[in-house]
Amino acid sequence: MNAMNQPPSRALFVVGTDTGVGKTVVSMLLLRELFARGERPFYAKPMQTGCKTPYDTDSDAAFVYRHVPELAGRDPAEAVGWCFAAPKAPLHAARDEMRGVETEDLVRSLACLRSEHASLVLEGAGGLMVPLTPEALCIDCIRAADARPVLVARAGLGTVNHTLLSVEALVRRGMEPAGIVFVHTKERSASPDLVRDNMEAVAMLSGFPVSGVVPPIENLLHPPDAAFAPLRRMLDVLDGTTMPD
């Protein structure tokens, strides 16, 4: 809370080093943590591909709405800007349906979201450099939304390269990650030593510490406390209640 005992105004943009790294799970955990802190965050997925409607099984918005108790009963379609069926980059998925998105419309929608919601969690599509329109990449949406990027990466082998490249892309555009979060899944297991080495390498070579590692979650409706720890640490640093490591 700030000096007036009001929740801070913030926009966080959950982006990934690649597709399938755990952005949607991190978005869900972040929303739940923000609600627990007394905020009323709005979740938005500006572009969704790989599903025909926001209600499909593979819809990120539908997943988030199912697993955030405060969103129960609400319509996930309110969170989705554009939805395309093909599991491709939005630029090409939209082209397949002859529904090209104008960059100006995308930028306008992001600016509107930012102005309408004091607490906002946006989720990108794929990695940072995925094309959304002929002129705009996913990374460009962060600035358009006046948001801070939350960079999500795999915990295991290969993550140092992908994470450092992603941080470099952000810094080149004048942005710093609000936090870097590793996601550790049963499907992509890694030894504790490897994860620890990856965290050390990323922090040392990028200058930005890893907020922590989200462990495998058996029950997504009831995540363990350890799953929220990286998000709590990141938010505490952002709110100035603790210092970065």
Side-chain angles (χ1 to χ4, degrees):
M1 295 293 182
N2 59 26
M4 299 299 292
N5 202 35
Q6 293 294 322
S9 176
R10 68 170 109 237
L12 298 170
F13 207 122
V14 180
V15 293
T17 59
D18 195 0
T19 188
V21 296
K23 294 188 304 297
T24 306
V25 169
V26 169
S27 296
M28 178 269 290
L29 294 170
L30 180 55
L31 286 160
R32 291 181 62 153
E33 178 61 23
L34 289 171
F35 274 117
R37 291 172 178 243
E39 299 185 32
R40 298 182 60 83
F42 184 82
Y43 168 79
K45 180 85 175 182
M47 286 194 177
Q48 169 76 68
T49 64
C51 59
K52 294 180 179 179
T53 76
Y55 311 104
D56 288 358
T57 302
D58 293 330
S59 164
D60 293 338
F63 171 90
V64 168
Y65 275 53
R66 285 197 305 271
H67 294 94
V68 177
E70 291 84 357
L71 299 180
R74 290 175 56 175
D75 186 354
E78 69 181 8
V80 181
W82 289 268
C83 190
F84 305 106
K88 299 180 178 181
L91 170 64
H92 302 111
R95 187 176 63 187
D96 287 352
E97 298 180 21
M98 293 183 288
R99 295 171 53 204
V101 177
E102 296 293 335
T103 303
E104 293 78 6
D105 292 336
L106 175 60
V107 170
R108 188 180 304 113
S109 71
L110 292 166
C112 287
L113 284 168
R114 184 66 178 98
S115 66
E116 293 171 357
H117 302 284
S119 183
L120 179 63
V121 174
L122 301 111
E123 182 186 350
L128 282 168
M129 307 306 282
V130 166
L132 306 185
T133 76
E135 299 87 15
L137 305 171
C138 183
I139 194 170
D140 298 318
C141 291
I142 303 171
R143 190 181 304 281
D146 188 25
R148 291 287 305 277
V150 177
L151 184 60
V152 181
R154 294 185 179 93
L157 192 64
T159 201
V160 172
N161 178 66
H162 291 147
T163 306
L164 292 178
L165 285 171
S166 297
V167 171
E168 182 174 311
L170 289 168
V171 172
R172 280 179 176 270
R173 288 163 173 77
M175 293 179 280
E176 295 185 354
I180 301 171
V181 179
F182 281 178
V183 176
H184 193 21
T185 65
K186 290 181 294 185
E187 293 77 14
R188 294 179 177 271
S189 60
S191 70
D193 286 347
L194 176 59
V195 175
R196 185 170 56 251
D197 289 346
N198 288 342
M199 293 175 68
E200 179 185 355
V202 167
M204 177 178 64
L205 296 170
S206 73
F208 299 101
V210 178
S211 299
V213 183
V214 175
I217 301 174
E218 296 291 340
N219 185 344
L220 288 163
L221 286 172
H222 302 285
D225 191 69
F228 294 98
L231 290 315
R232 289 175 182 154
R233 189 173 299 113
M234 180 191 72
L235 291 171
D236 286 346
V237 170
L238 290 177
D239 293 344
T241 59
T242 189
M243 295 296 291
D245 295 335

